[in-house]
């Protein structure tokens, strides 16, 4: 279905811009983000010198394609800053030297992820943040605090558990309700997922284990054990988190900013959220979207024109206005916060008033280290299942490195 929708959007862009025939100024943009179709339409209509044709790809970061003669001219996607992918892109230093682009407009921790030895190869476009939601007035986390930590959640969740009666059972929070909670808790606890120069996965195993023990202790000593959690979950948790919160059945539900803003407005008005983080920092979600120009691009001038246009504050104001006017179900830029701090601080809150006073300053953002290009599969197939096992009633305890090795061998066979 996603492929069909994207194909329709791509065809629509081509019809509106008259780009059925590729000329020497038409560049190919490869992406897996459907909302980019609207951006391409606006770019093509805004000037007559350059044209962009949109092509959908399930894996725009595939290094074999990026390094081939069939490479696209521009890419917008996650994973572009991975060590095994970023070398396929053309350095963007000349754009900065010619003052066509000012990197100081971007959040510097995010900008740095797309650089190598100080030279930018890909530029961040959008990002997402983890959050915890709860009913208004039900949780006292400090009115001025932007962040709720795992330790604070655990303490407050115990207060909710004490509200249970024989006739109405309540649970503050169950770690296994959310794989993303389990994962970002491990990030906050210092697991430091990353990659070597050749793309191999690295992590801090002691901190990974400690994060699992934190959740296991929550289950055993706060929630009366895995069997009790499972019984509660099977009995009551057949609705999404926001409905359970509004029914006062649970105290917390894990979310992200993108997911929170996708909740129906009438259900969201009774809810609040805080960023999920550590002492003075918020981990940026892994799925940062980047833009880059492959070295094999044959239309670099057109590609550069689009990149500069895309990362302009004036352009992004226009994109946000257009999305609101057309009532597109897309949040922000590429369905996330913009990497241009001015847009997040001054423009996005005009359309999403719930974010007034909640946009974190740059120094709060802790960006992930360079991660393997196949990190999504490794995280979801190895690390999250291992963490979930450790908080179950009878956890299996093989080292996560053994599980990773087995997974990699299986992938090679496939």
């Amino acid at each position: 279905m996603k492929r069909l929708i994207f194909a329709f959007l791509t065809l629509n862009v081509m019809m509106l811009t008259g780009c059925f025939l590729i000329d020497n100024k038409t560049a190919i943009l490869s992406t897996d983000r459907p909302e980019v179709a609207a951006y391409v339409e606006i770019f093509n209509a805004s000037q007559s010198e350059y044209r962009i044709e949109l092509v959908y790809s399930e894996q725009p970061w595939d290094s074999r394609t990026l390094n081939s003669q069939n490479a696209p001219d521009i890419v917008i996607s996650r994973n572009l800053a991975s060590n095994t992918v970023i070398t396929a892109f053309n350095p963007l230093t000349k754009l900065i030297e010619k003052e066509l682009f000012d990197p100081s407009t971007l959040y510097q921790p995010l900008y740095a992820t797309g650089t190598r030895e100080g030279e930018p190869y890909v530029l961040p476009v959008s990002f997402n943040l983890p959050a915890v939601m709860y009913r208004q007035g039900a949780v006292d986390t400090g009115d001025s605090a932007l962040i709720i930590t795992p330790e604070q959640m655990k303490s407050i969740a115990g207060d909710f558990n004490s509200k249970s009666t024989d006739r109405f059972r309540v649970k503050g929070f169950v770690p296994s309700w959310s794989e993303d909670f389990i994962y970002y808790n491990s990030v906050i606890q210092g697991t430091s997922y990353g990659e070597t120069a050749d793309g191999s996965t690295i992590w801090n195993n002691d901190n990974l284990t400690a994060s699992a023990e934190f959740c296991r202790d929550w289950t055993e000593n706060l929630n009366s054990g895995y069997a009790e959690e499972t019984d509660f979950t099977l009995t009551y948790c057949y609705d999404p988190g926001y409905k359970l919160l509004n029914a006062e059945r649970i105290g917390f539900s894990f979310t992200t900013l993108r997911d929170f803003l996708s909740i129906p407005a009438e259900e969201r008005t009774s809810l609040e959220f805080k960023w999920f983080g550590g002492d003075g920092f918020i981990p940026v979600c892994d799925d940062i979207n980047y833009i880059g120009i492959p070295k094999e691009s044959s239309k670099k001038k057109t590609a550069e024109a689009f990149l500069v246009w895309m990362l302009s504050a004036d352009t992004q104001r226009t994109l946000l206005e257009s999305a609101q006017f057309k009532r597109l179900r897309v949040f922000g830029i590429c369905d996330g916060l913009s990497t241009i701090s001015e847009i997040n601080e001054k423009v996005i809150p005009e359309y999403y008033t719930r974010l007034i006073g909640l946009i974190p300053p740059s120094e709060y953002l802790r960006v992930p280290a360079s991660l393997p290009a196949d990190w999504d599969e490794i995280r979801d197939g190895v690390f999250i299942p291992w963490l979930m096992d450790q908080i179950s009633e009878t956890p299996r305890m093989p080292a996560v490195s053994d599980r990773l090795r087995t997974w990699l061998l299986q992938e090679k066979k496939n």
Side-chain angles (χ1 to χ4, degrees):
M1 178 60 72
K2 183 177 179 182
R3 185 190 295 272
L4 290 174
I5 293 172
F6 206 98
F8 172 78
L9 291 171
T10 303
L11 180 61
N12 188 46
V13 170
M14 294 170 65
M15 292 177 64
L16 290 171
T17 58
C19 293
F20 283 105
L21 297 176
I22 300 176
D23 58 34
N24 60 1
K25 289 188 177 181
T26 298
I28 302 298
L29 190 159
S30 175
T31 187
D32 59 347
R33 301 300 316 176
E35 57 275 5
V36 174
Y39 305 162
V40 168
E41 179 184 331
I42 293 172
F43 174 79
N44 287 342
S46 68
Q47 45 73 52
S48 58
E49 186 173 2
Y50 305 109
R51 286 291 178 269
I52 301 295
E53 179 179 322
L54 194 68
V55 173
Y56 173 77
S57 172
E58 291 187 352
Q59 292 188 331
W61 58 87
D62 181 73
S63 59
R64 291 168 298 182
T65 301
L66 293 174
N67 286 296
S68 72
Q69 292 182 344
N70 296 321
D73 301 296
I74 321 167
V75 183
I76 296 179
S77 176
R78 64 192 189 279
N79 297 335
L80 302 188
S82 299
N83 285 335
T84 56
V85 178
I86 198 169
T87 55
F89 289 91
N90 207 50
L92 301 171
T93 311
K94 289 184 179 179
L95 293 180
I96 298 172
E97 292 174 348
K98 294 178 181 179
E99 299 184 352
L100 297 175
F101 171 73
D102 181 2
S104 69
T105 61
L106 303 181
Y107 290 97
Q108 291 307 290
L110 286 161
Y111 169 72
T113 62
T115 66
R116 293 296 184 273
E117 297 181 355
E119 189 166 26
Y121 287 81
V122 295
L123 297 173
V125 175
S126 67
F127 65 102
N128 196 16
L129 294 174
V132 176
M133 57 182 175
Y134 50 90
R135 272 184 63 83
Q136 289 182 0
V139 173
D140 182 11
T141 61
D143 291 339
S144 62
L146 284 174
I147 298 170
I148 185 168
T149 67
E151 292 79 8
Q152 288 173 323
M153 273 188 72
K154 189 175 181 180
S155 175
I156 298 170
D159 296 335
F160 275 95
N161 290 356
S162 66
K163 297 178 182 179
S164 283
T165 66
D166 292 338
R167 300 185 64 182
F168 192 82
R169 292 168 66 191
V170 178
K171 274 279 185 274
F173 185 73
V174 172
S176 59
W177 282 344
S178 170
E179 292 182 348
D180 284 342
F181 171 85
I182 297 288
Y183 171 70
Y184 284 106
N185 173 65
S186 74
V187 172
I188 291 167
Q189 304 290 350
T191 300
S192 302
Y193 301 101
E195 67 172 337
T196 60
D198 66 357
S200 300
T201 307
I202 54 176
W203 68 94
N204 184 311
N205 199 65
D206 289 343
N207 290 344
L208 175 70
T209 302
S211 77
E213 287 302 315
F214 174 84
C215 292
R216 185 169 176 82
D217 177 74
W218 193 328
T219 291
E220 292 182 343
N221 298 318
L222 198 67
N223 289 345
S224 302
Y226 189 72
E228 160 64 17
E229 285 183 343
T230 301
D231 179 69
F232 182 91
T233 301
L234 293 176
T235 305
Y236 302 108
C237 298
Y238 41 80
D239 283 325
Y242 66 85
K243 287 186 177 291
L244 296 171
L245 288 171
N246 284 328
E248 301 184 56
R249 180 66 68 182
I250 65 174
F252 292 113
S253 181
F254 185 84
T255 187
T256 66
L257 177 59
R258 180 187 302 134
D259 291 341
F260 179 79
L261 293 174
S262 70
I263 296 171
E266 64 274 13
E267 300 275 6
R268 201 171 64 226
T269 55
S270 58
L271 303 178
E272 296 181 7
F273 76 89
K274 287 189 183 294
W275 306 119
F276 184 54
D279 185 13
F281 72 90
I282 306 163
V284 173
C285 294
D286 296 342
D287 56 346
I288 302 168
N289 283 301
Y290 294 90
I291 186 170
I293 301 171
K295 291 178 180 177
E296 296 297 325
S297 166
S298 61
K299 307 289 171 37
K300 287 187 174 66
K301 189 173 181 180
T302 301
E304 289 173 355
F306 181 84
L307 182 149
V308 170
W309 175 86
M310 182 70 199
L311 289 177
S312 158
D314 289 340
T315 293
Q316 294 198 5
R317 286 191 187 92
T318 299
L319 299 181
L320 289 165
E321 290 170 2
S322 175
Q324 290 293 313
F325 178 76
K326 296 177 181 177
R327 297 186 178 182
L328 300 178
R329 295 181 62 85
V330 176
F331 164 64
I333 301 297
C334 283
D335 216 13
L337 287 168
S338 171
T339 53
I340 302 176
S341 57
E342 176 187 345
I343 295 298
N344 292 337
E345 293 165 3
K346 297 180 180 180
V347 183
I348 285 182
E350 292 180 10
Y351 301 108
Y352 303 93
T353 57
R354 296 294 296 274
L355 295 180
I356 294 175
L358 291 178
I359 300 297
S362 178
E363 59 268 22
Y364 275 51
L365 303 181
R366 179 174 292 182
V367 300
S370 176
L371 294 164
D374 54 354
W375 176 243
D376 292 354
E377 291 81 7
I378 293 173
R379 180 194 60 216
D380 297 345
V382 177
F383 285 94
I384 288 177
W386 185 88
L387 286 164
M388 294 290 282
D389 278 351
Q390 309 319 304
I391 62 174
S392 66
E393 188 175 12
T394 54
R396 298 189 298 273
M397 299 301 290
V400 71
S401 56
D402 294 338
R403 181 173 290 194
L404 176 60
R405 190 178 302 111
T406 300
W407 185 89
L408 290 172
L409 288 172
Q410 187 62 43
E411 286 298 300
K412 286 182 179 179
K413 289 181 181 179
N414 293 338

